Amino acid sequence: MDQRDRPFRSMLYIPGAKERALEKAAGLATDAIIFDLEDAVAPETKAEARNTLAAALRETDYGPRARIVRINALDTDWGADDVAALAGLGLEGVLLPKVNDARDVEVLAAAMPDAPLWAMMETPLGVLNADEVAAHPRLAGFVMGTNDLAKELGSSGRAALATALQTCLLAARAHGRVAVDGVYNAFRDAEGLRAECREGRDLGFDGKTLIHPDQLAVANEVFAPDAAAVEVARRRIAAFEAAQAAGEGVAVVDGAIVENLHVETARRTLARAEMIEKLKGDA
Ligand code: COA
Ligand code: MG
């Protein structure tokens, strides 16, 4: 399946070594799972986590959830073994951390011929090179690493990340890639999460990366077209088609102009809503 034909409203990180969470994830309402071998796994348990995860991926049916594994960077002691352990699993993605440029993606592409590649955008250099990273033919999408980015910049707060978030989004869209926003650390604060999800959605992101199952419902709701949006989309399409049949190039709905480009957006809204409905049926 093309990565743009699936929803990525929610992408839940699961530490690769946590058997309970690996099992639990198969029943959670998440569009994608990021099985983590990088920062959520301590150096002394890297090998064990890799084996635990590879076994879980072979034995567990994760249904329609996209299975993406975040490996260790290829210049660490663990990266090459991570890649070797994932060969032939038919994953929906391998996520490379701390990507600085297209060469980093190319090294992974050569080592991993059979999986869509994803890039963590979390270094200043990576953000500055977002265009060439997004342009790599094997790249499926970006995941924003906002914690690392803030650490590297010495910044605090979301506002300080606006340029980086938008630069990555521009690059992703220029090359037709998926773009998923960073995590919201205070995982018990649902209202704070909701506000940040809305902000990410309005910037144009496809979804949000999450760290706890309690965050799933909010992200799934905010990043899905709601009933009102679907209804407006239907009316815009109908009005535009009626206008066209009458020989007009534009229509008016609710006092606002509807042109061809708005109809394209409306059709995309309906397609997303359908895709999400179908996913519910498969889960
Ligand atoms: N994925 C799947 N299940 C998860 C989960 C996750 N990310 N986080 C928690 N759970 C499960 C727990 O196993 C527990 O299941 P159970 O009650 O059925 O046994 C349940 O959800 C409730 O967990 P809770 O006690 O509320 O959380 P915690 O205190 O055990 O863990 C964190 C909190 C933040 C440590 C944990 O959520 C976590 O490790 N998140 C992922 C962190 C990560 O991957 N970071 C790297 C990228 S930023
Ligand atoms: Mg990181």
Side-chain angles (χ1 to χ4, degrees):
M1 195 189 328
D2 189 283
Q3 303 290 311
R4 293 304 301 271
D5 295 335
R6 324 172 144 262
F8 286 98
R9 298 167 297 168
S10 47
M11 273 185 144
L12 179 64
Y13 281 104
I14 302 191
K18 267 199 191 170
E19 283 188 71
R20 172 87 192 105
L22 289 174
E23 201 181 300
K24 205 178 156 102
L28 292 173
T30 188
D31 289 346
I33 302 168
I34 301 178
F35 300 97
D36 191 20
L37 294 175
E38 198 218 15
D39 283 352
V41 177
E44 52 280 10
T45 59
K46 292 280 189 194
E48 189 193 330
R50 183 191 302 127
N51 293 337
T52 303
L53 175 59
L57 288 169
R58 271 193 295 272
E59 289 156 18
T60 314
D61 179 4
Y62 287 100
R65 298 162 193 81
R67 298 156 309 151
I68 297 173
V69 177
R70 183 165 77 172
I71 60 172
N72 292 283
L74 295 175
D75 60 0
T76 64
D77 291 345
W78 313 290
D81 289 340
D82 292 347
V83 167
L86 301 176
L89 288 173
L91 297 171
E92 281 69 42
V94 174
L95 172 60
L96 187 63
K98 303 188 174 71
V99 171
N100 283 322
D101 51 36
R103 223 174 13 177
D104 288 344
V105 181
E106 186 48 39
V107 173
L108 177 61
M112 188 95 220
D114 65 343
L117 308 181
W118 290 70
M120 288 294 304
M121 301 306 281
E122 54 185 348
T123 67
L125 207 49
V127 173
L128 292 171
N129 289 327
D131 178 38
E132 63 167 60
V133 175
H136 192 284
R138 292 274 307 281
L139 197 93
F142 281 168
V143 173
M144 298 309 304
T146 41
N147 283 328
D148 264 302
L149 204 48
K151 170 180 159 253
E152 295 298 316
L153 294 174
S155 71
S156 56
R158 275 282 273 192
L161 298 179
T163 298
L165 292 170
Q166 289 185 289
T167 300
C168 291
L169 199 64
L170 281 165
R173 295 305 182 229
H175 299 285
R177 310 306 185 203
V178 178
V180 181
D181 200 354
V183 299
Y184 186 72
N185 294 327
F187 60 89
R188 308 268 181 224
D189 172 9
E191 283 323 298
L193 172 67
R194 183 178 295 278
E196 202 171 278
C197 283
R198 284 185 176 147
E199 187 196 280
R201 176 199 61 194
D202 292 349
L203 281 170
F205 283 103
D206 294 291
K208 194 141 179 87
T209 43
L210 307 170
I211 49 177
H212 192 283
D214 286 355
Q215 297 183 307
L216 288 166
V218 169
N220 285 339
E221 184 195 322
V222 173
F223 285 96
D226 61 16
V230 168
E231 201 256 336
V232 170
R234 288 219 172 91
R235 283 198 291 125
R236 285 184 179 159
I237 293 166
F240 187 78
E241 284 175 352
Q244 268 194 325
E248 307 280 341
V250 299
V252 176
V253 171
D254 301 334
I257 191 163
V258 176
E259 297 177 76
N260 199 27
L261 69 103
H262 301 113
V263 173
E264 277 177 34
T265 304
R267 288 197 202 286
R268 205 173 327 128
T269 299
L270 295 188
R272 263 178 81 74
E274 262 169 43
M275 187 159 84
I276 290 161
E277 240 355 90
K278 181 175 177 304
L279 194 74
K280 276 188 205 153
D282 293 345

